[in-house]
Amino acid sequence: MFENLRLAGAMAIITLTSDFGLVDGYVGIMKGVILSIAPESRLIDLSHDLQPQAVRQAAFVLSRAVPFFPVGAVHLAVVDPGVGTSRRPLLVITPNAKFVGPDNGLFTFALDGPDAQAWLLNKPEYWLPQVSRSFHGRDIFAPVAAHLSAGVAPDRLASPLLDPVRLSHLAPVREANGDITGQVVYVDRFGNLLTNIPAGWLGGRRWECEIGGMRIAGPSDSYGAAPEDSLLLLISSSGTVEIAVRNGSAFKRLALGEGAEIHLLPI
Amino acid sequence: MFENLRLAGAMAIITLTSDFGLVDGYVGIMKGVILSIAPESRLIDLSHDLQPQAVRQAAFVLSRAVPFFPVGAVHLAVVDPGVGTSRRPLLVITPNAKFVGPDNGLFTFALDGPDAQAWLLNKPEYWLPQVSRSFHGRDIFAPVAAHLSAGVAPDRLASPLLDPVRLSHLAPVREANGDITGQVVYVDRFGNLLTNIPAGWLGGRRWECEIGGMRIAGPSDSYGAAPEDSLLLLISSSGTVEIAVRNGSAFKRLALGEGAEIHLLPI
Amino acid sequence: MFENLRLAGAMAIITLTSDFGLVDGYVGIMKGVILSIAPESRLIDLSHDLQPQAVRQAAFVLSRAVPFFPVGAVHLAVVDPGVGTSRRPLLVITPNAKFVGPDNGLFTFALDGPDAQAWLLNKPEYWLPQVSRSFHGRDIFAPVAAHLSAGVAPDRLASPLLDPVRLSHLAPVREANGDITGQVVYVDRFGNLLTNIPAGWLGGRRWECEIGGMRIAGPSDSYGAAPEDSLLLLISSSGTVEIAVRNGSAFKRLALGEGAEIHLLPI
């Protein structure tokens, strides 16, 4: 009996991701809406200080966090430059998770996974009675996330959607001569440059990296493996190639950000 | 039986609003105090990065969020320039919510609603044993919010108060010739200027807005309805007139903030 | 029966402290890991915007918050300049709390208390299957905190450790002539300078304080006890001597930070 309660209550996790910031109370408002509908839900913030309207940045943060949440979690994300236009409201369901937010590519990584389903949210009876033009996070996405979390079936909330929006991929390339070319896909708080090159491509050998006119040999074992202030080629905690500065910022040192090219040559 | 548990547990929402910031741990300390007294309470942050001692700004954020929380929620708010002086500790009870914090006008909007009661918190046996001069959020307001949430009746915590402090209102005016004059009451993270003019006053017709020497026709349907970088007159998600810049900041463009005058003339 | 549930569920508090910031989603990832293992745990953030790798600052914030949490809470803290080096993973158990994080002095205050036990975390079967070199918060500390919270005994997670790292203390001194010398140990969001001089040492009499070439008489009763913009000598909410400016910042006024000396002379 308690086991059922535990499953019903504890499993109802809803994560929240947005560019709303934490000053104005918008995130709290979405939580109030959710708790009004699904009082047992567990609300976990991923990030709310994403750059305004930076869909690609938000997609990266979300995609990196989702694998660490229990199966069945609902992920509400609102970075939504098209709010109030004809941009569609989206639900994505995968075997492991549910995603609610704008149809602008934010959930590309989920749509690209196995057995993903896209749904168009088109049942206003599950939204707030009045839908504003500028705060669909409160009026559409929060109530839908809450109803999903409370067990409402997707086909009561939405209809299948065939053509959800996808972001173009920045994909790393293995060239014929063995070199690798990739891109910086995210700059974190520490100024570490995260790339899209999988660690597995390095094959356990040593490489020379060219980025921003600098050359770095690696990978190094850890941040502590280099002198203070020197550039490092590392394997990030997400299993991709990362450029860092020990006790410093590679972002400031190289003056490079998202989209910057990185080349790896075998030594 | 589970239904009772659900009501007792899940309904015990306490929101927290302050100017404490999230760096120093003060908010976490208040939560520790609350959970020590009311372990089942659900703690939801509204904002903690309000400008230090900006009571009017905090009151706006709180007043906008409260309607979206379940009936019976306790709202703890501490923006408290008068802490340690003779400023009184206040409890406000309305049919829908309870408010705990300093008696400095923070809860004016609640006091002005129907059937609001003001109470003076004067029962130190429900506070922490030692009350500091500078952190009543921890020593008085957090314990009182927790006891309220756990079901302690107001008259055990407080005595009726006849003269709670109210903020003066900046009220919009409809002039005899049909023009409307209002004020900017809040600047949000996106640089949108929120005014106190209700959308209903616009009556479905078009207006010309004068603000900061600029003229803007509207209301527009959405952020997307204008070219990049142009000023927009919109209806905000709170149902009031808002000045925005598509993918930009009206605050930066106009160099105007809270208190700035706005005039609307029918076109 | 409900009483048991309440104890098992509500008491499982885990606080989180880090220098990860709230932008990149790292804190949310740790929470996902915790909830996957201990779904009933209550997660409370203390601070995540501590200065990167500022162990002493983090130790101060944590030490000040811990006494306000229920007995048995688990405190997870990750400010970890040595991640990926031979720095050891640590568990500290005191009669009132459990601490999980790097062995770098972060928990000195707990180790120095009565009946504290240090343990070396050395049972990888309680960690994530893959341990990265740079995110032990996710891979080691979050899972261990979750298992502790769920009731796993310390000796299944760790072995006794005799020589945990301690931070050197900045201790205040009472000089032979009655003067007191101490240090600023923390600067808070308001620019208040918190010192390590216990209020009890002031003995209810008045003192003259020398700091940064300024002289301030006190202690004053409250922030409100002085004109705007004047320096104040106060008793902080933590029961230590504090230097403040009414409605201003002592940090900006004096251009002094952590480590600055303060002298008190009896008047």
Side-chain angles (χ1 to χ4, degrees):
Chain A
M1 185 157 76
F2 284 139
E3 195 54 28
N4 286 342
L5 182 71
R6 179 171 170 278
L7 287 173
M11 283 304 149
I13 291 170
I14 300 176
T15 78
L16 298 98
T17 302
S18 77
D19 60 355
F20 294 161
L22 293 170
V23 177
D24 298 326
Y26 295 123
V27 175
I29 288 172
M30 291 199 298
K31 293 179 179 175
V33 170
I34 292 172
L35 293 175
S36 299
I37 295 168
E40 298 289 352
S41 57
R42 299 289 305 271
L43 305 178
I44 303 292
D45 296 307
L46 291 187
S47 179
H48 297 290
D49 284 314
L50 295 161
Q51 290 165 32
Q53 310 183 337
V55 175
R56 199 175 283 273
Q57 184 196 31
F60 179 84
V61 167
L62 187 60
S63 69
R64 186 169 62 172
V66 164
F68 294 96
F69 279 84
V71 168
V74 175
H75 302 284
L76 165 62
V78 196
V79 176
D80 194 9
V83 66
T85 67
S86 57
R87 184 274 298 136
R88 301 172 296 191
L90 183 66
L91 165 64
V92 178
I93 298 184
T94 72
N96 291 328
K98 300 181 181 74
F99 300 86
V100 180
D103 176 34
N104 61 13
L106 201 45
F107 306 131
T108 304
F109 68 95
L111 290 164
D112 286 352
D115 299 321
Q117 302 169 344
W119 299 79
L120 173 68
L121 296 170
N122 58 1
K123 303 291 165 60
E125 58 268 34
Y126 289 96
W127 306 351
L128 291 200
Q130 292 204 330
V131 174
S132 68
R133 289 191 169 274
S134 55
F135 196 2
H136 289 186
R138 176 192 67 191
D139 304 332
I140 300 177
F141 303 131
V144 166
H147 286 299
L148 277 170
S149 175
V152 175
D155 61 4
R156 291 176 59 195
L157 299 162
S159 302
L161 180 70
L162 295 177
D163 61 344
V165 172
R166 284 175 161 86
L167 295 176
S168 64
H169 278 292
L170 292 175
V173 174
R174 285 203 251 208
E175 307 191 22
N177 63 357
D179 294 359
I180 299 170
T181 299
Q183 287 86 25
V184 173
V185 291
Y186 191 78
V187 181
D188 76 11
R189 154 175 165 87
F190 300 100
N192 299 321
L193 306 181
L194 309 188
T195 79
N196 55 0
I197 301 173
W201 286 20
L202 302 193
R205 59 184 297 180
R206 286 183 61 77
W207 298 74
E208 185 173 66
C209 156
E210 294 179 350
I211 181 167
M214 303 294 286
R215 288 170 179 264
I216 312 161
S220 296
D221 274 350
S222 76
Y223 294 105
E228 295 272 327
D229 288 326
S230 67
L231 283 161
L232 286 164
L233 177 66
L234 295 169
I235 306 306
S236 78
S237 61
S238 305
T240 53
V241 169
E242 170 184 335
I243 308 297
V245 167
R246 185 180 176 194
N247 293 340
S249 163
F251 172 71
K252 287 185 187 166
R253 171 72 68 84
L254 294 172
L256 291 176
E258 288 165 40
E261 285 230 329
I262 174 171
H263 300 275
L264 295 179
L265 300 83
I267 301 181
Chain B
M1 185 156 76
F2 283 139
E3 195 54 27
N4 287 343
L5 183 69
R6 178 171 169 280
L7 287 172
M11 284 305 150
I13 292 170
I14 300 176
T15 78
L16 297 97
T17 302
S18 77
D19 60 356
F20 295 161
L22 293 170
V23 176
D24 298 327
Y26 296 123
V27 175
I29 289 173
M30 291 198 299
K31 293 179 180 175
V33 170
I34 292 171
L35 292 175
S36 299
I37 295 168
E40 299 290 352
S41 56
R42 300 290 306 270
L43 305 178
I44 303 292
D45 295 307
L46 292 187
S47 178
H48 297 290
D49 284 315
L50 295 161
Q51 289 164 33
Q53 310 182 336
V55 174
R56 199 175 282 274
Q57 184 195 30
F60 179 85
V61 167
L62 186 61
S63 70
R64 186 170 62 173
V66 164
F68 294 95
F69 279 84
V71 168
V74 175
H75 302 283
L76 166 61
V78 195
V79 175
D80 194 8
V83 66
T85 67
S86 57
R87 185 273 299 135
R88 299 172 297 189
L90 183 66
L91 165 64
V92 177
I93 298 184
T94 72
N96 291 329
K98 301 182 180 74
F99 300 85
V100 179
D103 177 34
N104 61 13
L106 200 45
F107 306 131
T108 304
F109 68 96
L111 289 164
D112 286 350
D115 299 320
Q117 301 169 344
W119 298 76
L120 174 69
L121 296 170
N122 59 1
K123 304 290 166 61
E125 58 268 35
Y126 288 96
W127 307 351
L128 292 200
Q130 290 204 330
V131 174
S132 68
R133 290 193 168 271
S134 56
F135 196 1
H136 289 185
R138 176 191 68 191
D139 304 332
I140 299 177
F141 303 130
V144 165
H147 285 299
L148 277 170
S149 175
V152 175
D155 60 3
R156 291 177 57 196
L157 299 162
S159 302
L161 181 69
L162 295 178
D163 60 345
V165 172
R166 285 174 160 86
L167 295 177
S168 64
H169 278 292
L170 292 175
V173 173
R174 285 204 249 208
E175 306 190 23
N177 63 357
D179 295 0
I180 298 170
T181 300
Q183 286 85 27
V184 174
V185 291
Y186 191 77
V187 181
D188 75 11
R189 154 177 166 89
F190 300 101
N192 299 319
L193 306 182
L194 309 187
T195 78
N196 55 0
I197 301 173
W201 286 19
L202 302 192
R205 61 186 294 181
R206 286 182 61 74
W207 298 74
E208 185 173 67
C209 155
E210 294 179 350
I211 181 168
M214 304 293 286
R215 288 169 179 266
I216 312 161
S220 296
D221 274 352
S222 76
Y223 294 106
E228 295 271 329
D229 288 327
S230 66
L231 282 162
L232 286 162
L233 176 66
L234 295 169
I235 307 306
S236 78
S237 61
S238 305
T240 52
V241 168
E242 170 184 335
I243 307 298
V245 167
R246 184 178 176 197
N247 293 339
S249 164
F251 173 70
K252 287 185 187 167
R253 170 71 69 84
L254 295 172
L256 291 176
E258 287 164 41
E261 285 231 327
I262 175 171
H263 300 275
L264 294 179
L265 299 82
I267 300 182
Chain C
M1 186 157 74
F2 284 140
E3 194 55 28
N4 286 344
L5 182 72
R6 177 171 171 279
L7 286 173
M11 284 304 151
I13 292 170
I14 300 176
T15 78
L16 298 97
T17 301
S18 78
D19 60 355
F20 294 161
L22 293 169
V23 177
D24 299 326
Y26 295 124
V27 175
I29 289 172
M30 291 199 298
K31 293 179 179 174
V33 170
I34 292 172
L35 292 174
S36 299
I37 295 168
E40 299 289 354
S41 57
R42 301 289 306 271
L43 305 178
I44 303 293
D45 296 307
L46 291 187
S47 177
H48 298 290
D49 284 314
L50 295 161
Q51 289 165 33
Q53 310 182 338
V55 175
R56 199 176 283 274
Q57 184 196 32
F60 179 84
V61 167
L62 187 60
S63 70
R64 187 170 58 173
V66 163
F68 294 96
F69 279 84
V71 168
V74 175
H75 302 283
L76 166 61
V78 195
V79 176
D80 194 9
V83 66
T85 67
S86 57
R87 185 274 298 138
R88 300 172 297 190
L90 183 66
L91 164 64
V92 178
I93 298 184
T94 72
N96 291 330
K98 300 181 181 75
F99 300 85
V100 179
D103 177 33
N104 62 13
L106 201 44
F107 306 132
T108 304
F109 68 95
L111 289 164
D112 285 351
D115 298 321
Q117 301 168 344
W119 299 77
L120 174 68
L121 296 170
N122 59 1
K123 304 290 166 61
E125 58 268 33
Y126 289 97
W127 307 351
L128 292 198
Q130 290 204 333
V131 174
S132 68
R133 289 192 169 273
S134 55
F135 195 1
H136 289 185
R138 176 191 68 192
D139 304 333
I140 299 177
F141 303 130
V144 165
H147 286 300
L148 277 171
S149 175
V152 175
D155 61 3
R156 291 176 58 197
L157 300 162
S159 301
L161 181 69
L162 295 178
D163 61 343
V165 172
R166 284 174 161 88
L167 296 176
S168 63
H169 279 291
L170 292 175
V173 174
R174 284 203 249 209
E175 306 190 25
N177 64 356
D179 295 1
I180 299 170
T181 299
Q183 286 86 28
V184 173
V185 291
Y186 191 78
V187 181
D188 75 12
R189 155 176 165 88
F190 299 100
N192 300 320
L193 307 181
L194 309 188
T195 78
N196 55 0
I197 301 173
W201 286 19
L202 301 193
R205 60 186 294 182
R206 287 183 61 75
W207 298 74
E208 185 174 65
C209 156
E210 293 180 352
I211 182 168
M214 304 294 285
R215 289 170 179 263
I216 312 161
S220 296
D221 274 352
S222 76
Y223 294 106
E228 296 269 329
D229 288 325
S230 67
L231 283 161
L232 286 163
L233 176 66
L234 295 168
I235 306 306
S236 78
S237 62
S238 305
T240 52
V241 168
E242 171 184 335
I243 307 297
V245 166
R246 186 180 175 195
N247 293 338
S249 164
F251 173 70
K252 288 185 186 166
R253 170 71 69 84
L254 294 172
L256 291 177
E258 287 165 41
E261 286 231 328
I262 175 171
H263 299 275
L264 294 179
L265 299 82
I267 301 181

